[in-house]
């Protein structure tokens, strides 16, 4: 997968040199290319923003640098057609299902907005040449799209074949499509069996894998009901067995 990231703060993305994603980049599994938006400005101050039409506080990112940046980056005709991702608090909620869907894309471009946002015509103009998605990582205040892009890129990249050593763990993740759809993970434990008087639940030391799987699903249902009743309401009743309904 190719990932282009356009930002005025390229240094925000040094975490993508680390750990499993850094290893995947070095092995060629993921081709991440960072672009400083100011490269497409020509005034002395490399201006990327201006006051909003209609008045109001803050500044809006000018359309011209974005238009030229996207033109140049997408001119690479051999790479196919990219999907443009615009991280924004006003976007559709980004979910694990989106991560699974986007992990199948060959080429993603992330446009990291700052200030009050990017001139709306940038998305309209880009949509004439490629699919465009506005995605939100949650309902809180951030200063821009860089942190959200890191979140989305990590959620997608870890699903790519060869990035995670233990593919099995993906299927047991919170929200993972299939058995964990709309469920969060229950508690996890490791050695020692007793720590400061706290025992590991004996079932986990029993070696009875079917019973352990059942216990883990029970705990996932209990934790989801406690912390995310909104997800419980979304559970497909058909996906619940008799035991699930008793939990
Ligand atoms: N403030 C804020 C909240 C969510 C979000 N998602 C993508 S960019 C962004 C910015």
């Amino acid at each position: 997968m190719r990932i282009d990231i356009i930002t005025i703060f390229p240094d925000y993305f040094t975490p993508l040199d680390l750990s499993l994603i850094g290893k995947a980049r070095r092995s060629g599994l993921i081709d991440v290319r960072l672009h400083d938006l100011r490269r497409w400005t020509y005034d002395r101050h490399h201006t990327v923003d201006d006051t909003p039409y209609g008045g109001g506080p803050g500044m809006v990112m000018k359309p011209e640098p974005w238009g030229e940046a996207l033109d140049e980056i997408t001119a690479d005709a051999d790479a196919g057609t990219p999907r443009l991702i615009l991280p924004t608090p006003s976007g559709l909620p980004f979910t694990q299902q989106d991560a699974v869907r986007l992990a199948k894309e060959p080429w993603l471009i992330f446009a990291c907005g700052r200030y009050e946002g990017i001139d709306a015509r940038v998305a309209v103009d880009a949509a004439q040449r490629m699919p465009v998605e506005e995605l939100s990582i949650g309902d809180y205040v951030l200063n821009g799209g860089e942190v959200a892009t890191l979140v989305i890129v990590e959620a997608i990249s870890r699903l790519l074949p060869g990035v995670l050593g233990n593919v099995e763990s993906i299927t047991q993740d919170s929200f993972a499509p299939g058995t964990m759809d709309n469920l969060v993970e229950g508690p996890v434990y490791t050695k020692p069996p007793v720590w400061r008087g706290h025992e590991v639940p004996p079932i986990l030391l029993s070696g009875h894998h079917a019973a352990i799987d059942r216990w883990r699903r029970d705990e996932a249902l209990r934790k989801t009901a406690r912390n995310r009743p909104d997800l419980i309401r979304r559970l497909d009743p058909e996906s619940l067995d008799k035991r699930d309904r008793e939990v």
Side-chain angles (χ1 to χ4, degrees), residues 1-5 21 24-34 76 79 106-108 157 160:
M1 174 185 281
R2 174 176 167 176
I3 298 176
D4 287 87
I5 300 173
I21 295 181
R25 290 179 69 184
R26 287 186 289 278
S27 69
L29 271 175
I30 311 172
D31 173 12
V32 176
R33 306 183 190 190
L34 295 177
D76 185 349
W107 184 10
L108 300 176
S157 301
L160 299 176

Side-chain angles (χ1 to χ4, degrees), residues 86-90 135-145 148-149 152:
L86 290 168
T88 171
S90 60
L135 296 176
S136 169
I137 63 165
D139 298 334
Y140 33 75
V141 181
L142 298 175
N143 293 329
T149 296
I152 297 170

Side-chain angles (χ1 to χ4, degrees), residues 214 217-218 221 239-247:
R214 180 67 263 178
R217 182 167 173 82
D218 291 355
L221 284 161
S239 71
L240 300 176
D241 63 29
K242 181 174 177 301
R243 171 62 190 162
D244 289 341
R245 291 186 177 85
E246 292 165 356
V247 171

Side-chain angles (χ1 to χ4, degrees), residues 121-189:
R121 291 170 291 181
V122 170
V124 172
D125 183 66
Q128 293 174 337
R129 303 190 297 281
M130 70 195 92
V132 177
E133 295 188 36
E134 295 188 324
L135 296 176
S136 169
I137 63 165
D139 298 334
Y140 33 75
V141 181
L142 298 175
N143 293 329
E146 282 79 8
V147 167
T149 296
L150 277 171
V151 166
I152 297 170
V153 166
E154 173 154 327
I156 291 169
S157 301
R158 63 189 298 279
L159 298 176
L160 299 176
V163 174
L164 283 191
N166 176 8
V167 177
E168 178 78 8
S169 70
I170 291 178
T171 59
Q172 299 307 312
D173 284 340
S174 292
F175 312 110
T179 57
M180 292 297 286
D181 222 353
N182 286 314
L183 288 180
V184 297
E185 273 182 291
V188 290
Y189 302 87

